[in-house]
Amino acid sequence: QKEVEQDPGPLSVPEGAIVSLNCTYSNSAFQYFMWYRQYSRKGPELLMYTYSSGNKEDGRFTAQVDKSSKYISLFIRDSQPSDSATYLCASSLYNQGGKLIFGQGTELSVKP
Amino acid sequence: NAGVTQTPKFRILKIGQSMTLQCAQDMNHNYMYWYRQDPGMGLKLIYYSVGAGITDKGEVPNGYNVSRSTTEDFPLRLELAAPSQTSVYFCASSPGGGKGNTIYFGEGSWLTVV
């Protein structure tokens, strides 16, 4: 079993839709949860960063972590064609720096 | 503001050849990392360093070596290249401490071993 599981998609939505991206993880000791966005042939860029459980909002993006169910979510409101990218969830242990465990990534396409 | 810079961007190697992927960061970060990304497999940690002179293995270190002589540079050495090392390689850095998990990636190096 992979430590972080993510549906690879691809996921295609119309412009303006609400997008829900999800991951599950198996290691209950994970404390940090991140979402990275990766455009084609580019490096991942940090989108959202959450410590432990709860919600975090940044503009059109909301990250949720439910440690009781080991579930990580990213919601994108009013999706735009520029949101078309691969979204990677990642987790790590407390005080483990950048030793991240990544999901497989979900490819998202937002159609105009 | 350059951030994390990787060279080369693309490289084709023959089986058995060796090469070094270069990585430099200008953010004065203590922590540096090398990840590889295979299609549909996410990213996996190869090696990491918490400061100059200190390196440690990640999840998939076999076939690679690293050194960290300065804070800025963290080269990755591939010895005796094999087709299984065909991948995209990403160098990354982070400040460490409370911000240790907010890591910043370079643009990637595409390596093909034939």
Side-chain angles (χ1 to χ4, degrees), chain B residues 34-82:
Chain B
W34 276 104
Y35 282 86
R36 61 177 285 174
Q37 185 176 31
D38 299 318
M41 298 295 290
L43 285 85
K44 292 187 184 296
L45 182 64
I46 305 171
Y47 269 96
Y48 69 100
S49 169
V50 301
I54 306 169
T55 63
D56 207 348
K57 296 177 181 178
E59 187 180 356
V60 290
N62 291 343
Y64 307 95
N65 278 300
V66 293
S67 59
R68 184 96 182 269
S69 57
T70 67
T71 299
E72 294 78 20
D73 300 300
F74 191 40
L76 177 72
R77 178 82 176 163
L78 281 74
E79 305 281 2
L80 298 175

